[in-house]
Amino acid sequence: RYPILKECREQIIDGYKTYFIKSPTRWDAFTLKYTYGKRVYEVLKKEQPNFVYQRVLKFMSYYISKLQNKLNYKHYILVAYLFN
Protein backbone atom coordinates (compact mmCIF):
# COMPACT_ATOMS: atom_id res chain seq x y z
CA ARG A 1 0.00 0.00 0.00
CA TYR A 2 2.86 2.37 0.79
CA PRO A 3 5.70 1.08 -1.45
CA ILE A 4 8.02 3.97 -0.66
CA LEU A 5 8.00 2.96 3.01
CA LYS A 6 9.94 -0.19 2.16
CA GLU A 7 12.97 2.12 1.95
CA CYS A 8 12.38 3.36 5.53
CA ARG A 9 13.34 1.78 8.81
CA GLU A 10 11.14 2.36 11.84
CA GLN A 11 11.99 2.03 15.52
CA ILE A 12 10.30 2.82 18.82
CA ILE A 13 12.43 5.29 20.82
CA ASP A 14 11.22 6.40 24.27
CA GLY A 15 7.69 5.33 23.33
CA TYR A 16 7.61 7.24 20.01
CA LYS A 17 7.64 5.63 16.58
CA THR A 18 10.62 7.02 14.72
CA TYR A 19 11.21 6.66 10.99
CA PHE A 20 14.63 6.64 9.42
CA ILE A 21 14.07 7.72 5.84
CA LYS A 22 16.61 6.79 3.19
CA SER A 23 19.04 9.66 2.64
CA PRO A 24 18.58 11.88 -0.41
CA THR A 25 20.14 10.54 -3.58
CA ARG A 26 21.63 12.37 -6.54
CA TRP A 27 18.26 12.01 -8.25
CA ASP A 28 16.61 13.69 -5.25
CA ALA A 29 19.04 16.60 -5.61
CA PHE A 30 18.25 16.84 -9.32
CA THR A 31 14.49 16.98 -8.61
CA LEU A 32 15.02 19.58 -5.85
CA LYS A 33 14.37 16.86 -3.28
CA TYR A 34 10.79 16.32 -4.49
CA THR A 35 11.19 12.53 -4.41
CA TYR A 36 12.53 12.76 -0.84
CA GLY A 37 9.52 14.90 0.07
CA LYS A 38 7.33 12.13 -1.34
CA ARG A 39 8.89 9.68 1.14
CA VAL A 40 8.12 12.06 4.00
CA TYR A 41 4.54 12.43 2.72
CA GLU A 42 4.01 8.65 2.63
CA VAL A 43 5.15 8.29 6.26
CA LEU A 44 2.89 11.13 7.42
CA LYS A 45 -0.06 9.86 5.39
CA LYS A 46 0.29 6.36 6.87
CA GLU A 47 0.73 7.48 10.48
CA GLN A 48 -1.79 10.36 10.55
CA PRO A 49 -0.06 12.05 13.51
CA ASN A 50 -1.54 14.77 15.72
CA PHE A 51 1.81 16.53 15.65
CA VAL A 52 5.31 16.24 14.18
CA TYR A 53 8.26 17.26 16.33
CA GLN A 54 11.48 17.99 14.50
CA ARG A 55 14.74 18.64 16.31
CA VAL A 56 16.77 20.04 13.43
CA LEU A 57 15.72 22.58 10.82
CA LYS A 58 16.55 21.01 7.45
CA PHE A 59 15.35 21.09 3.87
CA MET A 60 12.62 18.58 4.70
CA SER A 61 11.11 21.08 7.14
CA TYR A 62 9.57 22.67 4.07
CA TYR A 63 7.73 19.48 3.15
CA ILE A 64 6.62 18.76 6.71
CA SER A 65 5.28 22.31 7.08
CA LYS A 66 3.67 22.31 3.65
CA LEU A 67 1.79 19.07 4.37
CA GLN A 68 0.47 20.01 7.81
CA ASN A 69 -2.73 21.63 6.48
CA LYS A 70 -3.37 18.85 3.97
CA LEU A 71 -2.89 16.06 6.53
CA ASN A 72 -4.20 17.99 9.56
CA TYR A 73 -1.36 17.92 12.09
CA LYS A 74 0.78 20.48 13.92
CA HIS A 75 4.47 20.89 13.08
CA TYR A 76 6.89 21.83 15.86
CA ILE A 77 10.56 22.60 15.30
CA LEU A 78 13.04 22.88 18.16
CA VAL A 79 14.99 26.09 17.80
CA ALA A 80 18.10 25.79 19.91
CA TYR A 81 19.38 28.79 21.78
CA LEU A 82 23.16 28.51 21.52
CA PHE A 83 24.20 31.61 23.44
CA ASN A 84 24.58 31.76 27.22
Side-chain angles (χ1 to χ4, degrees):
R1 183 171 179 175
Y2 299 98
I4 292 174
L5 294 182
K6 291 179 184 177
E7 301 175 10
C8 302
R9 178 174 60 91
E10 61 182 71
Q11 180 179 346
I12 303 296
I13 300 175
D14 294 331
Y16 293 97
K17 187 181 287 187
T18 304
Y19 281 87
F20 297 88
I21 300 172
K22 182 180 170 187
S23 296
T25 63
R26 287 183 185 223
W27 177 251
D28 293 322
F30 180 71
T31 61
L32 300 176
K33 308 233 180 352
Y34 172 79
T35 51
Y36 191 83
K38 183 74 173 159
R39 292 182 207 128
V40 171
Y41 172 74
E42 290 293 324
V43 168
L44 295 172
K45 185 176 168 186
K46 175 187 173 200
E47 292 299 326
Q48 299 179 352
N50 293 326
F51 68 93
V52 173
Y53 172 75
Q54 186 180 3
R55 289 190 57 181
V56 180
L57 182 64
K58 293 187 139 203
F59 70 90
M60 72 175 177
S61 304
Y62 167 79
Y63 294 103
I64 294 171
S65 293
K66 181 179 174 184
L67 295 169
Q68 70 180 326
N69 289 333
K70 183 176 184 177
L71 298 176
N72 196 30
Y73 61 83
K74 299 286 184 195
H75 180 207
Y76 300 97
I77 300 175
L78 173 68
V79 178
Y81 184 71
L82 300 175
F83 305 99
N84 291 333

